Amino acid sequence: NYAALIQQQINEDKQNLREKTLYGVQLTEEKLNDFRDEQIGQLKELMDEATKPNKNITISKDLEHKT
């Protein structure tokens, strides 16, 4: 579901040509409390990587899964 949401947001962004787009959804404190400490750390690392300046992100659909 999350991948579909991101793809939808990317498609909408291409149509609207916004300068800065936020992808994903905001997690509530209640949902964050359901995560283990390790998962919170992983989310923080992901956020840090995703918000680094000058990132060029390309999303493509592979016809085959790569191993």
Short mmCIF file of all heavy atoms in Angstrom, two decimals:
data_model
loop_
_atom_site.label_atom_id
_atom_site.label_comp_id
_atom_site.label_asym_id
_atom_site.label_seq_id
_atom_site.Cartn_x
_atom_site.Cartn_y
_atom_site.Cartn_z
N ASN A 1 0.82 -1.20 0.00
CA ASN A 1 0.00 0.00 0.00
C ASN A 1 0.87 1.26 0.00
O ASN A 1 0.54 2.24 -0.64
CB ASN A 1 -0.94 0.02 1.20
CG ASN A 1 -2.06 -1.00 1.08
OD1 ASN A 1 -2.38 -1.46 -0.02
ND2 ASN A 1 -2.65 -1.37 2.19
N TYR A 2 1.96 1.19 0.78
CA TYR A 2 2.83 2.36 0.89
C TYR A 2 3.51 2.66 -0.45
O TYR A 2 3.59 3.81 -0.87
CB TYR A 2 3.87 2.13 1.98
CG TYR A 2 4.65 3.38 2.32
CD1 TYR A 2 4.03 4.42 2.99
CD2 TYR A 2 5.98 3.52 1.96
CE1 TYR A 2 4.73 5.58 3.30
CE2 TYR A 2 6.69 4.66 2.27
CZ TYR A 2 6.06 5.69 2.95
OH TYR A 2 6.74 6.83 3.24
N ALA A 3 3.96 1.60 -1.14
CA ALA A 3 4.59 1.79 -2.46
C ALA A 3 3.60 2.41 -3.44
O ALA A 3 3.95 3.29 -4.22
CB ALA A 3 5.12 0.46 -2.99
N ALA A 4 2.34 1.98 -3.40
CA ALA A 4 1.32 2.54 -4.28
C ALA A 4 1.07 4.00 -3.94
O ALA A 4 0.89 4.83 -4.84
CB ALA A 4 0.02 1.73 -4.16
N LEU A 5 1.07 4.34 -2.66
CA LEU A 5 0.88 5.72 -2.24
C LEU A 5 2.02 6.60 -2.76
O LEU A 5 1.78 7.68 -3.31
CB LEU A 5 0.81 5.82 -0.71
CG LEU A 5 0.82 7.24 -0.14
CD1 LEU A 5 -0.46 7.98 -0.51
CD2 LEU A 5 1.03 7.22 1.36
N ILE A 6 3.25 6.13 -2.62
CA ILE A 6 4.41 6.89 -3.10
C ILE A 6 4.32 7.09 -4.61
O ILE A 6 4.56 8.19 -5.12
CB ILE A 6 5.73 6.18 -2.72
CG1 ILE A 6 5.87 6.09 -1.20
CG2 ILE A 6 6.93 6.88 -3.35
CD1 ILE A 6 5.99 7.42 -0.50
N GLN A 7 3.99 6.02 -5.34
CA GLN A 7 3.87 6.13 -6.80
C GLN A 7 2.79 7.14 -7.18
O GLN A 7 2.98 7.95 -8.09
CB GLN A 7 3.56 4.77 -7.42
CG GLN A 7 3.58 4.78 -8.93
CD GLN A 7 4.95 5.11 -9.50
OE1 GLN A 7 5.94 4.50 -9.13
NE2 GLN A 7 5.01 6.09 -10.37
N GLN A 8 1.66 7.13 -6.48
CA GLN A 8 0.58 8.09 -6.74
C GLN A 8 1.07 9.51 -6.48
O GLN A 8 0.81 10.42 -7.28
CB GLN A 8 -0.62 7.77 -5.86
CG GLN A 8 -1.76 8.77 -6.02
CD GLN A 8 -2.88 8.51 -5.02
OE1 GLN A 8 -2.89 7.52 -4.32
NE2 GLN A 8 -3.83 9.43 -4.98
N GLN A 9 1.79 9.71 -5.39
CA GLN A 9 2.29 11.05 -5.07
C GLN A 9 3.30 11.51 -6.11
O GLN A 9 3.32 12.69 -6.48
CB GLN A 9 2.91 11.05 -3.67
CG GLN A 9 1.87 10.90 -2.58
CD GLN A 9 2.47 10.71 -1.20
OE1 GLN A 9 3.60 10.24 -1.05
NE2 GLN A 9 1.71 11.07 -0.18
N ILE A 10 4.13 10.61 -6.60
CA ILE A 10 5.10 10.97 -7.64
C ILE A 10 4.37 11.37 -8.91
O ILE A 10 4.71 12.38 -9.55
CB ILE A 10 6.07 9.80 -7.90
CG1 ILE A 10 7.01 9.64 -6.71
CG2 ILE A 10 6.85 10.01 -9.20
CD1 ILE A 10 7.82 8.37 -6.74
N ASN A 11 3.36 10.62 -9.30
CA ASN A 11 2.59 10.95 -10.50
C ASN A 11 1.90 12.31 -10.36
O ASN A 11 1.88 13.10 -11.30
CB ASN A 11 1.58 9.86 -10.81
CG ASN A 11 2.24 8.59 -11.29
OD1 ASN A 11 3.37 8.60 -11.79
ND2 ASN A 11 1.57 7.47 -11.11
N GLU A 12 1.32 12.57 -9.19
CA GLU A 12 0.67 13.86 -8.95
C GLU A 12 1.70 14.98 -8.98
O GLU A 12 1.43 16.07 -9.50
CB GLU A 12 -0.06 13.84 -7.60
CG GLU A 12 -1.29 12.96 -7.60
CD GLU A 12 -1.90 12.80 -6.22
OE1 GLU A 12 -1.37 13.37 -5.24
OE2 GLU A 12 -2.92 12.08 -6.12
N ASP A 13 2.88 14.72 -8.45
CA ASP A 13 3.94 15.72 -8.43
C ASP A 13 4.38 16.07 -9.85
O ASP A 13 4.61 17.23 -10.17
CB ASP A 13 5.13 15.21 -7.61
CG ASP A 13 6.21 16.26 -7.46
OD1 ASP A 13 5.86 17.43 -7.20
OD2 ASP A 13 7.40 15.92 -7.60
N LYS A 14 4.47 15.07 -10.71
CA LYS A 14 4.86 15.32 -12.10
C LYS A 14 3.83 16.21 -12.79
O LYS A 14 4.18 17.06 -13.60
CB LYS A 14 4.97 13.99 -12.86
CG LYS A 14 6.21 13.21 -12.52
CD LYS A 14 6.25 11.91 -13.30
CE LYS A 14 7.43 11.06 -12.91
NZ LYS A 14 7.43 9.77 -13.61
N GLN A 15 2.58 16.03 -12.46
CA GLN A 15 1.51 16.82 -13.07
C GLN A 15 1.50 18.25 -12.53
O GLN A 15 1.26 19.19 -13.27
CB GLN A 15 0.15 16.18 -12.83
CG GLN A 15 -0.02 14.87 -13.56
CD GLN A 15 -1.31 14.16 -13.17
OE1 GLN A 15 -2.11 14.69 -12.42
NE2 GLN A 15 -1.49 12.96 -13.68
N ASN A 16 1.77 18.41 -11.25
CA ASN A 16 1.68 19.72 -10.61
C ASN A 16 2.98 20.51 -10.67
O ASN A 16 2.99 21.72 -10.46
CB ASN A 16 1.25 19.58 -9.14
CG ASN A 16 -0.13 18.99 -9.01
OD1 ASN A 16 -0.97 19.18 -9.87
ND2 ASN A 16 -0.36 18.25 -7.94
N LEU A 17 4.10 19.82 -10.92
CA LEU A 17 5.42 20.45 -11.01
C LEU A 17 5.73 21.33 -9.81
O LEU A 17 6.19 22.46 -9.94
CB LEU A 17 5.53 21.27 -12.32
CG LEU A 17 5.35 20.46 -13.60
CD1 LEU A 17 5.34 21.37 -14.80
CD2 LEU A 17 6.44 19.39 -13.73
N ARG A 18 5.49 20.81 -8.63
CA ARG A 18 5.81 21.55 -7.41
C ARG A 18 7.30 21.54 -7.19
O ARG A 18 7.99 20.60 -7.55
CB ARG A 18 5.10 20.92 -6.21
CG ARG A 18 3.58 21.06 -6.30
CD ARG A 18 2.94 20.38 -5.14
NE ARG A 18 3.00 18.95 -5.40
CZ ARG A 18 2.48 18.03 -4.60
NH1 ARG A 18 1.89 18.39 -3.49
NH2 ARG A 18 2.54 16.76 -4.90
N GLU A 19 7.80 22.61 -6.58
CA GLU A 19 9.24 22.70 -6.32
C GLU A 19 9.70 21.73 -5.25
O GLU A 19 10.72 21.09 -5.37
CB GLU A 19 9.62 24.12 -5.93
CG GLU A 19 9.64 25.07 -7.10
CD GLU A 19 10.20 26.42 -6.72
OE1 GLU A 19 11.00 26.50 -5.77
OE2 GLU A 19 9.83 27.39 -7.37
N LYS A 20 8.97 21.65 -4.16
CA LYS A 20 9.35 20.76 -3.07
C LYS A 20 8.15 19.91 -2.68
O LYS A 20 7.10 20.45 -2.35
CB LYS A 20 9.86 21.54 -1.86
CG LYS A 20 10.35 20.64 -0.76
CD LYS A 20 11.12 21.40 0.28
CE LYS A 20 11.61 20.41 1.32
NZ LYS A 20 12.63 20.97 2.17
N THR A 21 8.33 18.63 -2.73
CA THR A 21 7.25 17.72 -2.45
C THR A 21 7.61 16.84 -1.27
O THR A 21 8.74 16.40 -1.14
CB THR A 21 6.97 16.82 -3.66
OG1 THR A 21 6.65 17.65 -4.77
CG2 THR A 21 5.83 15.88 -3.41
N LEU A 22 6.65 16.60 -0.42
CA LEU A 22 6.82 15.66 0.67
C LEU A 22 6.11 14.37 0.27
O LEU A 22 4.96 14.38 -0.14
CB LEU A 22 6.22 16.21 1.96
CG LEU A 22 6.83 17.50 2.48
CD1 LEU A 22 6.07 18.00 3.71
CD2 LEU A 22 8.30 17.30 2.82
N TYR A 23 6.83 13.27 0.39
CA TYR A 23 6.26 11.98 0.03
C TYR A 23 5.98 11.17 1.28
O TYR A 23 6.65 11.32 2.29
CB TYR A 23 7.23 11.21 -0.88
CG TYR A 23 7.42 11.85 -2.22
CD1 TYR A 23 8.57 12.56 -2.50
CD2 TYR A 23 6.44 11.77 -3.19
CE1 TYR A 23 8.74 13.17 -3.74
CE2 TYR A 23 6.59 12.37 -4.42
CZ TYR A 23 7.75 13.07 -4.69
OH TYR A 23 7.91 13.66 -5.90
N GLY A 24 5.01 10.28 1.19
CA GLY A 24 4.67 9.41 2.30
C GLY A 24 3.54 10.00 3.12
O GLY A 24 2.75 10.80 2.64
N VAL A 25 3.46 9.56 4.35
CA VAL A 25 2.42 10.03 5.26
C VAL A 25 3.06 10.38 6.60
O VAL A 25 4.09 9.82 6.97
CB VAL A 25 1.31 8.97 5.49
CG1 VAL A 25 0.52 8.71 4.23
CG2 VAL A 25 1.89 7.68 6.02
N GLN A 26 2.46 11.29 7.31
CA GLN A 26 2.92 11.68 8.64
C GLN A 26 2.46 10.63 9.63
O GLN A 26 1.28 10.27 9.66
CB GLN A 26 2.34 13.05 9.00
CG GLN A 26 2.85 13.63 10.28
CD GLN A 26 4.28 14.14 10.15
OE1 GLN A 26 4.80 14.29 9.07
NE2 GLN A 26 4.91 14.38 11.27
N LEU A 27 3.37 10.09 10.41
CA LEU A 27 3.01 9.09 11.42
C LEU A 27 2.57 9.79 12.70
O LEU A 27 3.21 10.72 13.16
CB LEU A 27 4.20 8.18 11.72
CG LEU A 27 4.64 7.28 10.59
CD1 LEU A 27 5.91 6.53 10.99
CD2 LEU A 27 3.55 6.31 10.20
N THR A 28 1.47 9.31 13.25
CA THR A 28 0.99 9.86 14.52
C THR A 28 1.86 9.34 15.66
O THR A 28 2.55 8.33 15.53
CB THR A 28 -0.47 9.45 14.78
OG1 THR A 28 -0.52 8.02 14.92
CG2 THR A 28 -1.39 9.90 13.66
N GLU A 29 1.81 10.02 16.79
CA GLU A 29 2.56 9.57 17.96
C GLU A 29 2.10 8.17 18.37
O GLU A 29 2.92 7.33 18.78
CB GLU A 29 2.39 10.55 19.11
CG GLU A 29 3.26 10.25 20.30
CD GLU A 29 3.19 11.32 21.38
OE1 GLU A 29 2.80 12.45 21.09
OE2 GLU A 29 3.53 10.98 22.52
N GLU A 30 0.82 7.91 18.24
CA GLU A 30 0.28 6.60 18.59
C GLU A 30 0.90 5.50 17.73
O GLU A 30 1.30 4.45 18.22
CB GLU A 30 -1.25 6.61 18.41
CG GLU A 30 -1.92 5.30 18.78
CD GLU A 30 -3.42 5.39 18.61
OE1 GLU A 30 -4.06 6.11 19.39
OE2 GLU A 30 -3.94 4.73 17.69
N LYS A 31 1.01 5.76 16.42
CA LYS A 31 1.62 4.77 15.53
C LYS A 31 3.11 4.62 15.82
O LYS A 31 3.64 3.51 15.78
CB LYS A 31 1.41 5.15 14.07
CG LYS A 31 -0.01 4.90 13.60
CD LYS A 31 -0.13 5.14 12.12
CE LYS A 31 -1.56 4.87 11.67
NZ LYS A 31 -1.71 5.03 10.23
N LEU A 32 3.79 5.72 16.10
CA LEU A 32 5.21 5.65 16.42
C LEU A 32 5.46 4.83 17.68
O LEU A 32 6.47 4.14 17.79
CB LEU A 32 5.79 7.06 16.59
CG LEU A 32 6.05 7.82 15.29
CD1 LEU A 32 6.47 9.25 15.60
CD2 LEU A 32 7.10 7.12 14.44
N ASN A 33 4.54 4.89 18.63
CA ASN A 33 4.68 4.13 19.87
C ASN A 33 4.59 2.62 19.63
O ASN A 33 5.04 1.84 20.47
CB ASN A 33 3.64 4.55 20.90
CG ASN A 33 3.94 5.91 21.49
OD1 ASN A 33 5.09 6.34 21.53
ND2 ASN A 33 2.90 6.60 21.92
N ASP A 34 4.03 2.21 18.49
CA ASP A 34 3.93 0.79 18.16
C ASP A 34 5.26 0.23 17.64
O ASP A 34 5.42 -0.98 17.55
CB ASP A 34 2.84 0.56 17.11
CG ASP A 34 1.44 0.80 17.67
OD1 ASP A 34 1.27 0.72 18.90
OD2 ASP A 34 0.53 1.06 16.87
N PHE A 35 6.21 1.10 17.27
CA PHE A 35 7.50 0.65 16.74
C PHE A 35 8.46 0.31 17.87
O PHE A 35 8.43 0.91 18.94
CB PHE A 35 8.13 1.74 15.87
CG PHE A 35 7.46 1.94 14.55
CD1 PHE A 35 6.55 2.97 14.36
CD2 PHE A 35 7.76 1.12 13.48
CE1 PHE A 35 5.94 3.16 13.15
CE2 PHE A 35 7.15 1.31 12.25
CZ PHE A 35 6.24 2.34 12.08
N ARG A 36 9.35 -0.65 17.59
CA ARG A 36 10.44 -0.94 18.51
C ARG A 36 11.51 0.13 18.34
O ARG A 36 11.57 0.82 17.34
CB ARG A 36 11.04 -2.31 18.20
CG ARG A 36 10.08 -3.48 18.45
CD ARG A 36 10.75 -4.83 18.25
NE ARG A 36 11.56 -4.94 17.05
CZ ARG A 36 11.13 -5.39 15.87
NH1 ARG A 36 9.89 -5.76 15.72
NH2 ARG A 36 11.96 -5.46 14.84
N ASP A 37 12.40 0.27 19.33
CA ASP A 37 13.47 1.26 19.27
C ASP A 37 14.32 1.08 18.01
O ASP A 37 14.72 2.06 17.37
CB ASP A 37 14.36 1.17 20.51
CG ASP A 37 13.67 1.70 21.76
OD1 ASP A 37 12.66 2.43 21.63
OD2 ASP A 37 14.15 1.38 22.87
N GLU A 38 14.60 -0.17 17.64
CA GLU A 38 15.40 -0.44 16.45
C GLU A 38 14.71 0.09 15.19
O GLU A 38 15.34 0.67 14.31
CB GLU A 38 15.65 -1.94 16.31
CG GLU A 38 16.44 -2.32 15.09
CD GLU A 38 16.61 -3.83 14.94
OE1 GLU A 38 16.33 -4.58 15.89
OE2 GLU A 38 17.02 -4.24 13.86
N GLN A 39 13.40 -0.09 15.12
CA GLN A 39 12.64 0.39 13.97
C GLN A 39 12.64 1.92 13.91
O GLN A 39 12.74 2.50 12.83
CB GLN A 39 11.21 -0.14 14.01
CG GLN A 39 11.14 -1.63 13.79
CD GLN A 39 9.74 -2.17 14.03
OE1 GLN A 39 9.13 -1.87 15.06
NE2 GLN A 39 9.25 -2.95 13.10
N ILE A 40 12.54 2.57 15.05
CA ILE A 40 12.59 4.03 15.10
C ILE A 40 13.94 4.51 14.57
O ILE A 40 14.02 5.46 13.79
CB ILE A 40 12.34 4.56 16.54
CG1 ILE A 40 10.93 4.22 17.00
CG2 ILE A 40 12.60 6.06 16.63
CD1 ILE A 40 9.83 4.96 16.29
N GLY A 41 15.01 3.82 14.97
CA GLY A 41 16.34 4.16 14.48
C GLY A 41 16.45 4.01 12.97
O GLY A 41 17.04 4.85 12.28
N GLN A 42 15.86 2.95 12.43
CA GLN A 42 15.87 2.73 10.99
C GLN A 42 15.09 3.82 10.26
O GLN A 42 15.51 4.30 9.20
CB GLN A 42 15.31 1.35 10.65
CG GLN A 42 16.21 0.22 11.08
CD GLN A 42 15.56 -1.13 10.92
OE1 GLN A 42 14.33 -1.26 10.94
NE2 GLN A 42 16.38 -2.16 10.76
N LEU A 43 13.95 4.21 10.82
CA LEU A 43 13.17 5.29 10.21
C LEU A 43 13.95 6.60 10.21
O LEU A 43 13.92 7.35 9.24
CB LEU A 43 11.84 5.48 10.96
CG LEU A 43 10.76 4.45 10.69
CD1 LEU A 43 9.58 4.68 11.63
CD2 LEU A 43 10.31 4.51 9.25
N LYS A 44 14.68 6.86 11.30
CA LYS A 44 15.50 8.07 11.39
C LYS A 44 16.59 8.06 10.32
O LYS A 44 16.82 9.06 9.64
CB LYS A 44 16.10 8.18 12.79
CG LYS A 44 17.14 9.26 12.97
CD LYS A 44 16.51 10.62 13.16
CE LYS A 44 17.50 11.67 13.61
NZ LYS A 44 18.36 12.20 12.58
N GLU A 45 17.26 6.91 10.16
CA GLU A 45 18.30 6.79 9.13
C GLU A 45 17.71 7.00 7.74
O GLU A 45 18.31 7.68 6.90
CB GLU A 45 18.96 5.42 9.20
CG GLU A 45 19.85 5.23 10.41
CD GLU A 45 20.44 3.83 10.48
OE1 GLU A 45 20.55 3.17 9.43
OE2 GLU A 45 20.78 3.40 11.59
N LEU A 46 16.55 6.43 7.49
CA LEU A 46 15.89 6.60 6.20
C LEU A 46 15.54 8.06 5.96
O LEU A 46 15.76 8.60 4.87
CB LEU A 46 14.63 5.73 6.14
CG LEU A 46 13.80 5.82 4.86
CD1 LEU A 46 14.62 5.40 3.65
CD2 LEU A 46 12.56 4.97 4.99
N MET A 47 14.99 8.72 6.98
CA MET A 47 14.65 10.13 6.86
C MET A 47 15.90 10.97 6.57
O MET A 47 15.88 11.84 5.70
CB MET A 47 13.97 10.64 8.12
CG MET A 47 13.54 12.11 8.02
SD MET A 47 12.97 12.80 9.58
CE MET A 47 14.52 12.96 10.46
N ASP A 48 16.99 10.68 7.29
CA ASP A 48 18.23 11.43 7.08
C ASP A 48 18.73 11.28 5.64
O ASP A 48 19.13 12.24 5.00
CB ASP A 48 19.32 10.97 8.06
CG ASP A 48 19.02 11.38 9.49
OD1 ASP A 48 18.14 12.25 9.71
OD2 ASP A 48 19.65 10.81 10.40
N GLU A 49 18.70 10.06 5.11
CA GLU A 49 19.14 9.82 3.74
C GLU A 49 18.21 10.49 2.73
O GLU A 49 18.66 11.08 1.75
CB GLU A 49 19.21 8.31 3.44
CG GLU A 49 20.43 7.64 3.97
CD GLU A 49 21.72 8.16 3.34
OE1 GLU A 49 21.77 8.32 2.11
OE2 GLU A 49 22.67 8.40 4.10
N ALA A 50 16.92 10.40 2.99
CA ALA A 50 15.94 10.94 2.04
C ALA A 50 15.93 12.46 2.01
O ALA A 50 15.50 13.05 1.02
CB ALA A 50 14.54 10.42 2.39
N THR A 51 16.38 13.09 3.07
CA THR A 51 16.33 14.55 3.12
C THR A 51 17.68 15.21 2.88
O THR A 51 17.81 16.41 3.04
CB THR A 51 15.76 15.03 4.48
OG1 THR A 51 16.56 14.48 5.54
CG2 THR A 51 14.31 14.59 4.64
N LYS A 52 18.68 14.42 2.46
CA LYS A 52 19.97 15.02 2.11
C LYS A 52 19.78 15.91 0.89
O LYS A 52 19.02 15.58 -0.02
CB LYS A 52 20.99 13.93 1.78
CG LYS A 52 21.61 13.27 2.98
CD LYS A 52 22.68 12.30 2.54
CE LYS A 52 23.34 11.64 3.74
NZ LYS A 52 24.35 10.65 3.30
N PRO A 53 20.47 17.05 0.85
CA PRO A 53 20.33 17.94 -0.31
C PRO A 53 20.94 17.32 -1.57
O PRO A 53 21.81 16.46 -1.50
CB PRO A 53 21.10 19.19 0.11
CG PRO A 53 22.02 18.76 1.19
CD PRO A 53 21.38 17.56 1.85
N ASN A 54 20.43 17.80 -2.71
CA ASN A 54 20.95 17.41 -4.03
C ASN A 54 20.82 15.93 -4.33
O ASN A 54 21.69 15.34 -4.95
CB ASN A 54 22.41 17.84 -4.18
CG ASN A 54 22.57 19.33 -4.07
OD1 ASN A 54 21.73 20.08 -4.54
ND2 ASN A 54 23.65 19.77 -3.45
N LYS A 55 19.75 15.33 -3.90
CA LYS A 55 19.50 13.94 -4.22
C LYS A 55 18.68 13.87 -5.51
O LYS A 55 17.67 14.53 -5.65
CB LYS A 55 18.70 13.25 -3.11
CG LYS A 55 19.52 12.85 -1.92
CD LYS A 55 20.28 11.61 -2.25
CE LYS A 55 21.02 11.12 -1.03
NZ LYS A 55 21.77 9.93 -1.28
N ASN A 56 19.13 13.07 -6.44
CA ASN A 56 18.36 12.79 -7.65
C ASN A 56 17.81 11.39 -7.50
O ASN A 56 18.56 10.43 -7.42
CB ASN A 56 19.23 12.88 -8.90
CG ASN A 56 19.66 14.30 -9.17
OD1 ASN A 56 18.90 15.22 -8.92
ND2 ASN A 56 20.86 14.48 -9.67
N ILE A 57 16.50 11.28 -7.47
CA ILE A 57 15.84 9.99 -7.26
C ILE A 57 15.15 9.58 -8.55
O ILE A 57 14.39 10.36 -9.13
CB ILE A 57 14.82 10.07 -6.11
CG1 ILE A 57 15.53 10.44 -4.82
CG2 ILE A 57 14.07 8.74 -5.96
CD1 ILE A 57 14.60 10.70 -3.67
N THR A 58 15.42 8.38 -8.99
CA THR A 58 14.77 7.84 -10.17
C THR A 58 14.05 6.57 -9.76
O THR A 58 14.64 5.69 -9.15
CB THR A 58 15.80 7.51 -11.26
OG1 THR A 58 16.52 8.69 -11.57
CG2 THR A 58 15.11 6.97 -12.50
N ILE A 59 12.78 6.51 -10.09
CA ILE A 59 12.00 5.32 -9.79
C ILE A 59 11.60 4.69 -11.11
O ILE A 59 11.07 5.35 -11.99
CB ILE A 59 10.74 5.68 -8.97
CG1 ILE A 59 11.17 6.23 -7.62
CG2 ILE A 59 9.84 4.45 -8.81
CD1 ILE A 59 10.03 6.65 -6.76
N SER A 60 11.92 3.43 -11.25
CA SER A 60 11.56 2.73 -12.47
C SER A 60 10.97 1.37 -12.09
O SER A 60 11.25 0.84 -11.02
CB SER A 60 12.78 2.52 -13.36
OG SER A 60 13.75 1.75 -12.69
N LYS A 61 10.17 0.86 -12.97
CA LYS A 61 9.58 -0.44 -12.74
C LYS A 61 10.41 -1.46 -13.51
O LYS A 61 10.58 -1.36 -14.71
CB LYS A 61 8.13 -0.49 -13.22
CG LYS A 61 7.21 0.35 -12.37
CD LYS A 61 5.78 0.15 -12.81
CE LYS A 61 4.88 0.95 -11.90
NZ LYS A 61 3.47 0.74 -12.22
N ASP A 62 10.96 -2.43 -12.79
CA ASP A 62 11.71 -3.50 -13.42
C ASP A 62 10.75 -4.55 -13.94
O ASP A 62 9.78 -4.89 -13.29
CB ASP A 62 12.67 -4.16 -12.43
CG ASP A 62 13.84 -3.27 -12.08
OD1 ASP A 62 14.17 -2.38 -12.89
OD2 ASP A 62 14.42 -3.45 -10.99
N LEU A 63 11.05 -5.05 -15.13
CA LEU A 63 10.22 -6.12 -15.67
C LEU A 63 10.54 -7.45 -15.00
O LEU A 63 9.70 -8.34 -14.94
CB LEU A 63 10.41 -6.23 -17.18
CG LEU A 63 9.97 -5.00 -17.97
CD1 LEU A 63 10.29 -5.18 -19.45
CD2 LEU A 63 8.49 -4.76 -17.79
N GLU A 64 11.77 -7.59 -14.52
CA GLU A 64 12.17 -8.81 -13.84
C GLU A 64 12.73 -8.44 -12.48
O GLU A 64 13.30 -7.37 -12.30
CB GLU A 64 13.27 -9.52 -14.63
CG GLU A 64 12.84 -9.97 -16.00
CD GLU A 64 14.00 -10.65 -16.73
OE1 GLU A 64 14.94 -11.11 -16.05
OE2 GLU A 64 13.96 -10.70 -17.96
N HIS A 65 12.57 -9.34 -11.54
CA HIS A 65 13.18 -9.14 -10.23
C HIS A 65 14.65 -9.52 -10.34
O HIS A 65 15.00 -10.53 -10.91
CB HIS A 65 12.50 -10.01 -9.16
CG HIS A 65 11.11 -9.56 -8.86
ND1 HIS A 65 10.84 -8.47 -8.11
CD2 HIS A 65 9.92 -10.09 -9.25
CE1 HIS A 65 9.53 -8.33 -8.03
NE2 HIS A 65 8.95 -9.29 -8.70
N LYS A 66 15.49 -8.71 -9.80
CA LYS A 66 16.93 -8.99 -9.82
C LYS A 66 17.32 -9.66 -8.52
O LYS A 66 16.81 -9.34 -7.46
CB LYS A 66 17.71 -7.70 -10.02
CG LYS A 66 17.42 -7.09 -11.37
CD LYS A 66 18.17 -5.82 -11.56
CE LYS A 66 17.81 -5.23 -12.92
NZ LYS A 66 18.37 -3.93 -13.11
N THR A 67 18.27 -10.58 -8.60
CA THR A 67 18.73 -11.26 -7.38
C THR A 67 20.14 -10.85 -7.06
O THR A 67 20.86 -10.35 -7.84
CB THR A 67 18.67 -12.79 -7.56
OG1 THR A 67 19.45 -13.17 -8.68
CG2 THR A 67 17.23 -13.24 -7.72
#
